[in-house]
């Protein structure tokens, strides 16, 4: 166990750079993107949905990443055990979440094996704080509320964390907790991290939902606000 912790700690690096134009370089793909249309389907009168087990629809394993850093476009990803009826990301300005003022950004849902992966793109203004949650507007079931701040453009510097080889699996839950402890330490020491770069392997088996859950759940407090950029190992 101590060897596992030492291995993870050994590959953590914190790097700070000064951009030539005072901004983070764009680390997203080059896909053309237009702002998402807000979802209004929850206002349509439909037959009531009968949910026998609410736990199957609760969002988990939530992360956020940059899709286009220069334009402030973020990608939010989460899983549900059962396929959601209408998955959205509810976002409102400020640190206090108000559902009546929240904008629903519709998520795309992809089912792989036993995983239902929900992805929503949202544009956030620089230096502005938002509160949000993943939600199913038809099942009326949502996840915890988190806050996130648009990228910092008030400084010519940016700092990011580089990690690798966490390789969490469904039988090594300690590694996921160790990773969460590392993020807790970094959060206490660096107040303005721009993103976390993971160069693989994030989990032992990318096709097993349980591996991802053991990796991401212990760190959701940080991965819900710090963009997580993962590369295949």
């Amino acid at each position: 166990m101590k060897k596992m912790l030492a291995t993870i700690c050994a590959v953590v690096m914190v790097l700070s750079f000064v951009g030539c134009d005072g901004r983070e370089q764009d680390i997203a793909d080059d896909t053309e993107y237009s702002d998402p249309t807000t979802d209004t389907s929850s206002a349509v009168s439909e037959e009531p949905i009968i949910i026998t087990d609410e736990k199957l629809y609760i969002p988990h394993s939530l992360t956020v990443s940059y899709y286009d850093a220069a334009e402030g476009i973020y990608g939010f990803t989460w899983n549900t055990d059962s396929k959601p009826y209408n998955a959205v990301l509810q976002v409102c300005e400020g640190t206090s979440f108000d559902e009546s003022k929240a904008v629903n950004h519709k998520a795309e849902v992809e089912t792989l094996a036993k995983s239902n992966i929900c992805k929503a793109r949202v544009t956030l203004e620089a230096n502005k704080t938002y509160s949000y949650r993943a939600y199913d507007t038809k099942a009326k079931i949502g996840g915890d509320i988190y806050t996130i701040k648009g990228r910092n453009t008030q400084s010519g510097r940016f700092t990011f964390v580089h990690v690798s080889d966490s390789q969490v699996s469904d039988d090594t839950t300690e590694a996921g907790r160790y990773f969460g402890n590392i993020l807790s330490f970094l959060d206490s020491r660096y107040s303005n991290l721009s993103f976390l770069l993971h160069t693989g392997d994030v989990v032992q088996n990318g096709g097993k939902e349980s591996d991802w859950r053991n990796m991401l759940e212990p760190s959701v407090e940080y991965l819900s606000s710090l963009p997580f950029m993962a590369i295949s190992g």
Side-chain angles (χ1 to χ4, degrees), residues 161 163 178-188 193 196 219 222-223 226:
V161 179
V163 299
Y178 288 151
F179 185 73
N181 291 338
I182 291 172
L183 292 185
S184 176
F185 166 76
L186 293 171
D187 181 68
S188 66
L193 291 176
L196 184 153
S219 306
Y222 309 102
L223 298 180
L226 178 65

Side-chain angles (χ1 to χ4, degrees), residues 101-135:
K101 298 180 180 179
V103 177
N104 290 346
H105 299 270
K106 189 170 180 59
E108 297 178 355
V109 181
E110 182 179 9
T111 301
L112 298 175
K114 296 182 179 180
S115 300
N116 298 281
I117 306 170
C118 309
K119 299 180 180 180
R121 294 189 179 191
V122 181
T123 300
L124 304 178
E125 292 186 31
N127 310 307
K128 183 176 289 188
T129 301
Y130 299 83
S131 53
Y132 72 93
R133 70 174 176 179
Y135 191 68

Side-chain angles (χ1 to χ4, degrees), residues 33 60-67 72-79 87-91 105-108 117-124 130-134 146-150 223-227:
Y33 171 72
H60 61 83
S61 306
L62 186 145
T63 61
V64 58
S65 61
Y66 278 127
Y67 278 15
I73 301 173
Y74 293 74
F76 295 80
T77 304
W78 66 94
N79 288 12
V88 301
L89 192 79
Q90 296 185 316
V91 183
H105 299 270
K106 189 170 180 59
E108 297 178 355
I117 306 170
C118 309
K119 299 180 180 180
R121 294 189 179 191
V122 181
T123 300
L124 304 178
Y130 299 83
S131 53
Y132 72 93
R133 70 174 176 179
Y146 302 102
T147 59
I148 186 172
K149 188 174 183 179
L223 298 180
S224 58
S225 59
L226 178 65

Side-chain angles (χ1 to χ4, degrees), residues 142-158:
D144 292 334
I145 296 171
Y146 302 102
T147 59
I148 186 172
K149 188 174 183 179
R151 69 187 186 91
N152 182 5
T153 59
Q154 298 173 341
S155 171
R157 303 182 64 89
F158 70 94

Side-chain angles (χ1 to χ4, degrees), residues 54-63 78-82 114-116 168-177 179 202-220 223:
E54 291 189 1
K55 296 191 299 293
L56 298 177
Y57 297 88
I58 295 177
H60 61 83
S61 306
L62 186 145
T63 61
W78 66 94
N79 288 12
T80 57
D81 294 334
S82 287
K114 296 182 179 180
S115 300
N116 298 281
V168 176
S169 67
D170 59 1
D171 57 358
T172 58
T173 55
E174 293 86 358
R177 289 196 291 269
F179 185 73
V202 180
V203 296
Q204 188 67 25
N205 189 331
K208 294 184 66 175
E209 194 276 337
S210 57
D211 283 17
W212 289 103
R213 191 163 193 165
N214 286 339
M215 169 64 183
L216 302 175
E217 280 295 285
S219 306
V220 67
L223 298 180

Side-chain angles (χ1 to χ4, degrees), residues 23-109:
R23 303 191 309 178
E24 297 94 328
Q25 298 301 309
D26 187 2
I27 54 177
D29 57 42
D30 296 325
T31 305
E32 184 177 350
Y33 171 72
S34 58
D35 286 339
T37 302
T38 56
D39 178 72
T40 59
S41 59
S42 59
V44 179
S45 177
E46 297 181 349
E47 291 294 323
I49 294 173
I50 299 176
I51 303 294
T52 57
D53 190 346
E54 291 189 1
K55 296 191 299 293
L56 298 177
Y57 297 88
I58 295 177
H60 61 83
S61 306
L62 186 145
T63 61
V64 58
S65 61
Y66 278 127
Y67 278 15
D68 189 327
E71 297 297 326
I73 301 173
Y74 293 74
F76 295 80
T77 304
W78 66 94
N79 288 12
T80 57
D81 294 334
S82 287
K83 188 172 183 179
Y85 291 94
N86 190 55
V88 301
L89 192 79
Q90 296 185 316
V91 183
C92 64
E93 294 184 13
T95 58
S96 181
F97 183 82
D98 184 344
E99 185 175 4
S100 66
K101 298 180 180 179
V103 177
N104 290 346
H105 299 270
K106 189 170 180 59
E108 297 178 355
V109 181

